[in-house]
Amino acid sequence: MQRVFIVEDDKQIREELITLLTRNKYETKASENFKTISEEVLAASPDIVLLDLNLPYVDGYVVCREIRERSDVPLIVVTSRDSDLDELMSMNLGADDFVTKPYSPHILLARIANLLKRVNKPTVTVLSYAGLELDLAKASASYLGHHIELTRNETRILQVLMQQAETIVSREYLQNELWQSDQFIDDNTLTVNVNRLRSRLAGIGADNILHTKRGLGYILRTVDQ
Amino acid sequence: MKFGSYLRSKAVTFFLFAVSVAVVVLLLWVSAVATGVVVVCCVLLLLAFVVALVWDYLLRKRFYENLSAVLQAKGTSNYASEFLTRPNFIEGQLSYDVLEEATKDMNDAIARYRIASDEYRDYIETWIHEVKTPIAASRLILENNRNVALQPLDREIERIETYVEQALYYARSTAVEKDYIIKLLDLDQVVKECVKKYSRLLIENGIMPGFENLDTSVYADPKWLDFVLGQIISNSVKYCRPRTKNFTPSIKFTAENFTKDFEVTWVRLHIKDNGIGIPAADVPRVFEKGFTGENGRRFAQSTGIGLYLCKVLCEKMKLKIALSSVALPENQKNSEGEVFQSGTTLTIEFPLNKMYFLD
């Protein structure tokens, strides 16, 4: 599991980030000792650091520089300061990426995954639910020893459903997820994609797992009430 | 100052001089003074008068000429006294002092207001950056507690974000200094990133984006351009409701390259929706600040700021922006028949010559 160190002074955001990242299969660590925050980050030796610029006691830039002086850990600056100057400063001080608040949680997750991929620390690439396994790197699914290759859209849909297994995912949400990966599909195409995915899953024996909730969306569940 | 007009202004002096000379001549004649003496007296008096007059005229001439030159030169009135030297005659000194005092007061007042408005703008910018933290927190809370019932809240937060962003750019558009950076951008990427940002709004309203020929580069500030495109998209969404069953609302992004001597000289980006359009009478005024027009009155939620800001920001980046529209006729509004080809097209023109941006 990849470890993320969160440097964020807003308690609410810190806690929500922990929940979000934990849910997305990351291990998280955070601290409130901002006076010695760079020491704490280095001591924890995380795989990636999320750094807010507006911190009590110390300036985010200083923290950024202190960490960089002693470590090459991937570092994303997350801030509400959005001027080009801030971006330039962060990059000059060795930040690997720059995300401005208010960011959409999906974008933040995507940036983290991208950065980890770039430094050759692949994130979780195999998702599983009730015997069904999805390999994101190979875009293939397997169930009880049977394998199938999936298309890009099918992989993305199954990924979202598996990450939120046993909860209803709305059609709009799925459509949005596909748009975010440059697949600007319409409502009908989504239906076609999901139906095709369902029949292909049934083909390897994983039938009765992807259910339609009329008017609400889709759900991945072994037993359908 | 012409000598003639100076003489006219001295008409009373002339009259009094003439009367007193006449009286002196009369008195001398009555006293039986020799005619030669009377003539000499008259000549002496006249000579003294003319010399005094010319001397006085020359004294004033330079000051008043400078003054009227300052008056004619436009845009220099707030430092007029700097162009003049304090004259050595009393009325001139008085008007010089008044002018100097008045320009000083005026400049003080301008400086005061400029500082106040700069401080206000700084405050607005700071406030906006502060309010982004609770907005970011709210988004994370919603993401972590996803729930069908909370979905409308997501949309409302997105709206708050849009308004906050608009306020930020409004504050920035009033800045006197240049605070943007023109870079070479991949148009396809900029457009798609912006569509992704507004994806939820578009999906919810069933509006499909279309991209055509966007594989080109343009010069602009990435954030400003993103904001301008965002305003255009959100406008289109407002006026792009599904009308009939077979009607798919859409927003199409098409780029057009214009070449001269085998070199691309400018790129036009057309953003075309098939919404209800804007009445022809309103089209010339859509970029005016606070103008909402017929659609604004019917659909509310219109502040008349969005397109105005687009225009201001585009002009600062040296881009041209124009709008054309075909309005949906009144009787077509709820018809189930053939769909009338209405819609609005925004066109942004990007010059590709780097020299154009050097100023």
Side-chain angles (χ1 to χ4, degrees):
Chain A
M1 229 188 227
Q2 306 283 319
R3 268 172 310 151
V4 185
F5 199 107
I6 303 165
V7 183
E8 165 69 65
D9 63 320
D10 190 282
K11 189 163 170 277
Q12 190 73 53
I13 291 194
R14 197 167 60 228
E15 282 173 2
E16 296 299 336
L17 274 176
I18 291 173
T19 315
L20 179 78
L21 291 169
T22 310
R23 185 174 292 172
N24 284 276
K25 310 274 185 279
Y26 290 98
E27 202 181 310
T28 57
K29 201 161 168 36
S31 170
E32 281 186 71
N33 301 323
F34 293 104
K35 278 178 182 163
T36 56
I37 194 75
S38 354
E39 295 302 318
E40 296 222 7
V41 172
L42 290 165
S45 66
D47 293 303
I48 191 166
V49 179
L50 292 187
L51 174 69
D52 183 18
L53 285 185
N54 293 325
L55 297 172
Y57 306 116
V58 282
D59 189 66
Y61 293 131
V62 176
V63 177
C64 187
R65 205 182 54 226
E66 282 174 0
I67 294 175
R68 254 310 155 262
E69 272 167 8
R70 290 165 52 193
S71 161
D72 279 331
V73 60
L75 193 150
I76 300 181
V77 165
V78 180
T79 179
S80 60
R81 297 189 207 165
D82 72 337
S83 76
D84 286 318
L85 189 67
D86 288 305
E87 192 165 342
L88 195 67
M89 279 277 281
S90 309
M91 294 301 175
N92 280 344
L93 288 174
D96 296 288
D97 205 348
F98 187 88
V99 182
T100 51
K101 282 180 194 168
Y103 42 78
S104 103
H106 309 282
I107 289 181
L108 187 65
L109 288 171
R111 297 278 190 107
I112 293 174
N114 271 348
L115 185 52
L116 286 171
K117 199 155 68 184
R118 221 158 62 209
V119 295
N120 279 326
K121 288 186 175 172
T123 44
V124 181
T125 54
V126 180
L127 296 169
S128 62
Y129 172 73
L132 179 65
E133 285 197 342
L134 172 67
D135 189 327
L136 294 173
K138 291 185 198 146
S140 68
S142 61
Y143 186 75
L144 306 175
H146 302 282
H147 289 269
I148 38 158
E149 305 287 312
L150 297 174
T151 65
R152 201 175 144 177
N153 285 1
E154 288 163 356
T155 309
R156 193 92 190 94
I157 293 169
L158 190 57
Q159 182 194 355
V160 173
L161 290 171
M162 285 180 94
Q163 276 168 345
Q164 299 171 42
E166 299 190 348
T167 48
I168 299 171
V169 179
S170 73
R171 298 175 55 82
E172 287 82 13
Y173 188 90
L174 275 175
Q175 207 181 339
N176 190 23
E177 288 289 328
L178 288 166
W179 280 34
Q180 294 307 326
S181 43
D182 278 345
Q183 302 294 313
F184 300 95
I185 55 148
D186 64 14
D187 203 47
N188 295 332
T189 315
L190 178 69
T191 312
V192 172
N193 277 319
V194 172
N195 288 341
R196 202 174 138 73
L197 174 65
R198 190 187 346 245
S199 66
R200 298 195 66 188
L201 287 178
I204 55 166
D207 53 353
N208 210 18
I209 188 162
L210 203 175
H211 307 281
T212 306
K213 290 277 156 195
R214 197 156 288 280
L216 293 173
Y218 301 102
I219 186 167
L220 208 62
R221 190 154 58 188
T222 43
V223 226
D224 194 32
Q225 289 96 356
Chain B
M1 190 172 60
K2 295 260 165 53
F3 192 57
S5 59
Y6 173 74
L7 290 183
R8 269 196 298 282
S9 74
K10 293 283 177 189
V12 177
T13 319
F14 275 115
F15 177 72
L16 290 178
F17 177 72
V19 168
S20 39
V21 168
V23 170
V24 167
V25 168
L26 194 70
L27 284 176
L28 290 177
W29 184 64
V30 170
S31 325
V33 177
T35 320
V37 176
V38 175
V39 169
V40 169
C41 279
C42 284
V43 168
L44 276 177
L45 277 175
L46 201 67
L47 210 65
F49 180 72
V50 168
V51 167
L53 206 66
V54 169
W55 175 256
D56 188 60
Y57 169 72
L58 291 176
L59 200 66
R60 274 144 224 263
K61 184 176 147 63
R62 246 191 75 189
F63 177 72
Y64 285 117
E65 265 175 7
N66 284 342
L67 195 62
S68 61
V70 169
L71 192 73
Q72 269 153 26
K74 295 275 176 241
T76 54
S77 57
N78 55 340
Y79 41 94
S81 64
E82 302 292 320
F83 289 110
L84 305 168
T85 40
R86 197 166 189 272
N88 44 8
F89 62 97
I90 187 78
E91 308 100 297
Q93 284 170 348
L94 211 59
S95 37
Y96 177 84
D97 291 346
V98 168
L99 195 64
E100 196 179 32
E101 195 62 28
T103 51
K104 191 177 165 297
D105 280 353
M106 183 165 73
N107 287 329
D108 284 353
I110 290 172
R112 247 192 336 269
Y113 284 115
R114 182 165 294 157
I115 290 167
S117 96
D118 281 354
E119 279 176 349
Y120 187 64
R121 199 182 54 239
D122 286 349
Y123 168 69
I124 295 286
E125 284 216 27
T126 313
W127 182 88
I128 287 166
H129 290 315
E130 277 169 353
V131 84
K132 279 179 178 175
T133 300
I135 293 176
S138 313
R139 287 201 112 177
L140 285 168
I141 295 170
L142 282 174
E143 180 61 30
N144 289 334
N145 304 285
R146 207 172 311 106
N147 181 331
V148 181
L150 287 177
Q151 248 173 23
L153 206 53
D154 226 358
R155 184 173 54 229
E156 296 305 313
I157 285 176
E158 221 155 73
R159 280 177 65 192
I160 292 176
E161 247 180 78
T162 313
Y163 288 132
V164 163
E165 203 184 28
Q166 199 181 62
L168 179 66
Y169 279 90
Y170 185 83
R172 284 188 180 161
S173 75
T174 59
V176 187
E177 321 81 59
K178 175 176 180 260
D179 63 348
Y180 54 92
I181 300 170
I182 303 285
K183 289 185 209 162
L184 191 62
L185 307 172
D186 178 355
L187 188 61
D188 186 63
Q189 196 187 345
V190 174
V191 168
K192 283 185 177 157
E193 282 310 312
C194 192
V195 168
K196 285 184 201 172
K197 209 165 108 185
Y198 284 85
S199 58
R200 242 182 273 231
L201 195 65
L202 292 167
I203 290 170
E204 222 164 67
N205 289 285
I207 299 170
M208 283 307 297
F211 310 98
E212 209 176 294
N213 195 26
L214 294 181
D215 197 13
T216 185
S217 303
V218 295
Y219 284 103
D221 178 288
K223 282 176 195 142
W224 285 30
L225 183 58
D226 178 70
F227 173 79
V228 169
L229 292 175
Q231 293 296 309
I232 295 171
I233 293 175
S234 75
N235 263 353
S236 287
V237 172
K238 268 186 219 165
Y239 307 123
C240 223
R241 302 281 149 78
R243 296 198 292 265
T244 61
K245 273 192 180 148
N246 299 324
F247 173 78
T248 312
S250 70
I251 177 162
K252 287 202 168 61
F253 298 84
T254 315
E256 229 184 322
N257 291 322
F258 289 84
T259 48
K260 192 184 167 190
D261 302 333
F262 304 105
E263 231 178 281
V264 182
T265 44
W266 72 81
V267 173
R268 271 189 202 149
L269 173 66
H270 303 286
I271 303 143
K272 186 181 191 320
D273 68 37
N274 56 0
I276 56 166
I278 297 165
D282 286 350
V283 170
R285 298 186 58 198
V286 289
F287 291 113
E288 282 175 26
K289 186 173 174 177
F291 181 76
T292 52
E294 174 69 23
N295 287 348
R297 278 191 291 279
R298 275 193 306 155
F299 291 84
Q301 282 190 24
S302 176
T303 49
I305 295 292
L307 281 178
Y308 161 75
L309 273 181
C310 288
K311 178 109 180 161
V312 173
L313 297 181
C314 278
E315 275 172 1
K316 283 201 172 196
M317 294 191 287
K318 312 259 162 121
L319 310 179
K320 284 181 195 144
I321 184 165
L323 180 147
S324 66
S325 189
V326 179
L328 187 68
E330 199 68 40
N331 57 6
Q332 285 271 350
K333 270 175 198 144
N334 294 309
S335 77
E336 289 285 324
E338 200 179 310
V339 178
F340 185 83
Q341 293 295 311
S342 67
T344 303
T345 306
L346 258 296
T347 302
I348 304 175
E349 193 177 297
F350 301 88
L352 274 184
N353 187 348
K354 262 190 219 162
M355 297 307 285
Y356 193 77
F357 298 103
L358 298 173
D359 54 5

